[in-house]
Amino acid sequence: MGLLGAIEAGGTKFVVAVADENYNVVERTAFPTLDGEKTLDQVIAFFDKFENIDAIGIAAFGPIDIVKGSQTYGYVLDTPKRGWSGYDFLGRMKAWRDIPFFWTTDVNGAGWAEFETGAAKDVQNMVYLTVGTGIGAGIVSNGHLLSGYGHPEAGHIFLQKHPEDKYAGHCPFHGDNCLEGLAAGPAIEERWGISAKEIPDEDIAWKIEAYYIAQAALDYTMILRPEKIILGGGVPHRDILFPLIRESFSEQMSDYLEVPDLDDYIVPVANGDNAGILGCFYLAKTLV
Amino acid sequence: MGLLGAIEAGGTKFVVAVADENYNVVERTAFPTLDGEKTLDQVIAFFDKFENIDAIGIAAFGPIDIVKGSQTYGYVLDTPKRGWSGYDFLGRMKAWRDIPFFWTTDVNGAGWAEFETGAAKDVQNMVYLTVGTGIGAGIVSNGHLLSGYGHPEAGHIFLQKHPEDKYAGHCPFHGDNCLEGLAAGPAIEERWGISAKEIPDEDIAWKIEAYYIAQAALDYTMILRPEKIILGGGVPHRDILFPLIRESFSEQMSDYLEVPDLDDYIVPVANGDNAGILGCFYLAKTLV
Ligand SMILES: Nc1ncnc2c1ncn2[C@@H]1O[C@H](COP(=O)(O)OP(=O)(O)O)[C@@H](O)[C@H]1O
Ligand SMILES: Nc1ncnc2c1ncn2[C@@H]1O[C@H](COP(=O)(O)OP(=O)(O)O)[C@@H](O)[C@H]1O
Ligand SMILES: [Zn+2]
Ligand SMILES: [Zn+2]
């Protein structure tokens, strides 16, 4: 077998890597995200050095078109990010070299790593939720990445507001109606006027944050009945959130539904910040 | 090929039927739901008349255990309905005759009929939502009925309250927090103090009802990205709801996400009240 390739295509930085069939990294590099064309120039310059790549997994910031058969399959869709709207990301890669590519979202990439060898390695149904600059989810149902008319946008479900929260919300589409508008990193920072990292553990900020994440977890539970809900991204680096989320989940659920023991149900990522690249390798491997 | 059997096991009535391989009904009967043991006596007395049944589809009121490998697979779970909690429904049927049974929820049965030959026959991803005495959903993702740690309980997702709605809600677990507590038939009737059938089309009751169903449809859309959302059950017999729901959906979504044309996206059932039995036949057929 030849090598596997990985492209973790983030809105602020790209990470590219190649590994052998046992996922030992041969080379890896990162660079800031420019516009589509210029960024892909760098991606291709990196992979050009390797003759024997069998497949590449691409986990890209969205929204992207992942619907096979769609006219714009492989494109980046409407995005405020300059030089990316309507960019044919996958087309450019295919024009470069005719090998199999696994094309999916950044959260599906990291989520798949959790599913294969991370916190969800023993289950077939999971939600990987990342809470950072934005909020998004990668969902595995019955062992497969869930998608339909497009990929999930599970950060934009509507939530009830916490009774003590007066913040106007920061989602440009839904204000304070949706999870991302209320609970992403920038919402925390705008609401309290200080960096999320600097808010002390005892602050009510984390109770409110936990309430929103718990309510979202409740909705995912009702609809998807996952066996694990895994929290990634910068905000869940705050360990205190986990007990607070579990407590709030249990209160809001009010004994309606049987779920796994909460300490095993709502859990942090196991692959850490390596999940994105690892997921790309695993997804590439499914193609060879 | 022999015959196919169907059991539509509702909380108030049971419908049982047998059909030939082309779904022509050979015999069909209905009777009120008694306790588990007595009701199944009648079910078995009905099917006993047919020697050559190849498989039976069972679509049962819930909650039920549909997790293969679970200790209580095939059982009715905790329910306020007398004589049903912990009843081994599927076990009783298997003891009667050793043929294949498709064991699933009532909403999955009706939803599957919509998926096979109804409003969702041309898609692979759909939500069938029934709004009647309760609210529940059957979800098809990538051509398969979605389940995980259990079956979906999509009627109990949390919603934002309509600003003009003062009703306290009727979900025994979630009060006015969840969809069912706010928008099922009994909620409408308790809120307005009159039968839902008698509320005129122009009444604000339907605007509020549409707002809740639309908000739920939005959450299903964000998480599942279905190609169709199909509304069944008694309440959507009110035709005026459909334009109101589509309008509210569009307002709440606020152009965030591309969905199919709303007239094709949020639609009524195509199989009418026959969907439940039809779905059981189709599910039975998957086993032969
Ligand atoms: N220990 C922490 N406690 C709370 N918030 C944190 C912590 N570490 C990082 N964050 C927040 O996480 C957010 C960034 O998340 P991250 O997932 O790293 O970014 P991105 O989504 O851009 O990849 C920032 O708002 C930051 O304040
Ligand atoms: N035309 C109608 N307009 C509004 N509500 C209706 C209409 N027809 C039936 N309903 C309501 O639907 C509910 C019953 O739904 P149904 O699905 O038939 O019951 P179940 O869930 O018990 O099977 C009742 O609350 C009834 O008032
Ligand atoms: Zn939003
Ligand atoms: Zn409820």
Side-chain angles (χ1 to χ4, degrees):
Chain A
M1 219 194 84
L3 298 170
L4 299 168
I7 306 175
E8 191 183 2
T12 35
K13 76 170 190 220
F14 266 56
V15 184
V16 289
V18 292
D20 67 22
E21 57 188 309
N22 300 315
Y23 311 112
N24 299 308
V25 174
V26 174
E27 193 172 333
R28 168 184 175 130
T29 187
F31 42 85
T33 305
L34 309 169
D35 67 25
E37 201 62 17
K38 288 207 193 88
T39 312
L40 275 270
D41 285 345
Q42 285 188 258
V43 168
I44 284 168
F46 173 81
F47 287 114
D48 253 342
K49 293 177 285 180
F50 306 93
E51 290 285 310
N52 55 336
I53 300 174
D54 283 345
I56 295 180
I58 309 174
F61 74 93
I64 62 177
D65 188 343
I66 62 165
V67 179
K68 277 173 188 154
S70 155
Q71 288 248 320
T72 53
Y73 176 72
Y75 285 54
V76 177
L77 298 173
D78 252 6
T79 165
K81 200 147 176 70
R82 248 169 59 102
W84 283 98
S85 276
Y87 185 69
D88 184 8
F89 191 133
L90 183 60
R92 175 87 198 272
M93 294 307 298
K94 284 189 159 166
W96 161 72
R97 202 179 280 180
D98 188 22
I99 56 173
F101 291 94
F102 200 111
W103 167 248
T104 196
T105 61
D106 46 4
V107 282
N108 276 347
W112 191 256
E114 289 300 309
F115 174 69
E116 284 280 2
T117 58
K121 68 176 192 297
D122 296 325
V123 305
Q124 290 295 306
N125 303 281
M126 61 136 233
V127 174
Y128 165 79
L129 188 73
T130 173
V131 186
T133 306
I135 299 186
I139 298 168
V140 174
S141 174
N142 200 17
H144 297 279
L145 284 170
L146 182 143
S147 71
Y149 196 74
H151 53 75
E153 291 281 356
H156 294 268
I157 59 170
F158 277 28
L159 297 185
Q160 284 176 19
K161 222 162 155 176
H162 189 284
E164 292 174 56
D165 185 14
K166 305 279 171 276
Y167 176 54
H170 89 117
C171 176
F173 295 90
H174 312 119
D176 63 349
N177 289 314
C178 76
L179 173 62
E180 180 167 305
L182 288 164
I188 303 174
E189 308 198 330
E190 192 178 68
R191 181 190 284 110
W192 305 105
I194 108 174
S195 156
K197 289 188 200 171
E198 284 166 38
I199 301 174
D201 275 359
E202 320 73 61
D203 200 286
I204 186 173
W206 302 121
K207 282 223 159 128
I208 291 179
E209 181 70 11
Y211 170 84
Y212 292 130
I213 296 176
Q215 196 181 128
L218 183 146
D219 284 355
Y220 304 146
T221 298
M222 296 293 186
I223 296 172
L224 298 164
R225 302 300 304 272
E227 296 160 89
K228 288 268 183 202
I229 296 178
I230 298 163
L231 303 180
V235 175
H237 282 154
R238 178 69 57 139
D239 298 335
I240 184 76
L241 273 173
F242 286 88
L244 293 175
I245 293 167
R246 292 178 193 126
E247 193 186 339
S248 179
F249 179 91
S250 164
E251 241 171 61
Q252 295 186 69
M253 177 61 86
S254 182
D255 281 330
Y256 177 69
L257 210 58
E258 206 194 310
V259 294
D261 184 84
L262 288 183
D263 291 338
D264 295 327
Y265 186 50
I266 300 175
V267 298
V269 285
N271 288 309
D273 294 335
N274 206 29
I277 280 294
L278 210 51
C280 291
F281 286 137
Y282 295 154
L283 289 169
K285 183 82 170 256
T286 67
L287 300 176
V288 300
Chain B
M1 219 194 85
L3 298 170
L4 299 169
I7 306 175
E8 191 185 1
T12 36
K13 77 170 189 215
F14 265 56
V15 185
V16 289
V18 292
D20 66 22
E21 57 188 309
N22 299 316
Y23 310 112
N24 298 309
V25 173
V26 173
E27 194 173 330
R28 168 183 175 129
T29 187
F31 43 85
T33 306
L34 310 169
D35 67 25
E37 201 62 17
K38 288 206 193 87
T39 311
L40 274 272
D41 285 346
Q42 285 189 258
V43 168
I44 284 169
F46 174 80
F47 287 115
D48 252 342
K49 294 177 286 180
F50 306 93
E51 290 286 309
N52 56 335
I53 300 174
D54 283 347
I56 296 180
I58 309 174
F61 74 94
I64 61 176
D65 188 342
I66 62 166
V67 179
K68 279 174 186 152
S70 155
Q71 289 248 322
T72 53
Y73 176 72
Y75 285 53
V76 177
L77 299 173
D78 252 4
T79 165
K81 200 149 177 68
R82 249 170 59 101
W84 283 100
S85 275
Y87 185 70
D88 184 7
F89 191 134
L90 183 61
R92 176 86 198 274
M93 294 306 299
K94 284 191 158 164
W96 161 72
R97 204 180 278 179
D98 188 23
I99 56 173
F101 292 92
F102 200 112
W103 167 248
T104 196
T105 61
D106 47 5
V107 282
N108 275 348
W112 191 256
E114 289 301 308
F115 173 68
E116 284 281 359
T117 57
K121 68 178 191 296
D122 297 326
V123 306
Q124 290 295 305
N125 303 281
M126 60 137 235
V127 175
Y128 165 79
L129 188 74
T130 174
V131 186
T133 306
I135 299 187
I139 298 167
V140 174
S141 174
N142 200 18
H144 297 279
L145 285 170
L146 182 144
S147 72
Y149 196 73
H151 54 76
E153 291 280 356
H156 294 268
I157 58 169
F158 277 27
L159 296 186
Q160 283 176 19
K161 223 163 154 175
H162 188 284
E164 292 173 56
D165 184 15
K166 304 280 172 276
Y167 175 56
H170 89 119
C171 177
F173 295 90
H174 311 120
D176 64 348
N177 289 315
C178 77
L179 173 62
E180 180 167 305
L182 288 164
I188 303 174
E189 309 199 328
E190 192 178 68
R191 180 189 285 110
W192 305 106
I194 99 174
S195 156
K197 289 189 200 170
E198 284 166 38
I199 301 173
D201 275 0
E202 320 73 60
D203 200 285
I204 186 172
W206 302 121
K207 282 223 159 128
I208 290 178
E209 181 70 11
Y211 171 84
Y212 291 130
I213 296 176
Q215 195 180 129
L218 183 147
D219 284 355
Y220 304 146
T221 298
M222 296 295 185
I223 296 173
L224 298 163
R225 302 301 304 272
E227 296 159 89
K228 288 268 181 202
I229 296 178
I230 298 163
L231 303 180
V235 174
H237 282 154
R238 179 68 57 142
D239 297 336
I240 184 74
L241 273 173
F242 286 87
L244 293 175
I245 292 167
R246 293 180 192 125
E247 193 187 339
S248 178
F249 180 90
S250 164
E251 240 171 62
Q252 295 186 68
M253 178 61 85
S254 182
D255 281 330
Y256 177 68
L257 210 57
E258 206 195 310
V259 294
D261 185 84
L262 288 183
D263 292 337
D264 296 327
Y265 187 51
I266 300 175
V267 298
V269 285
N271 289 309
D273 294 334
N274 206 30
I277 280 294
L278 211 51
C280 292
F281 286 136
Y282 295 154
L283 289 169
K285 182 83 171 253
T286 67
L287 301 176
V288 300

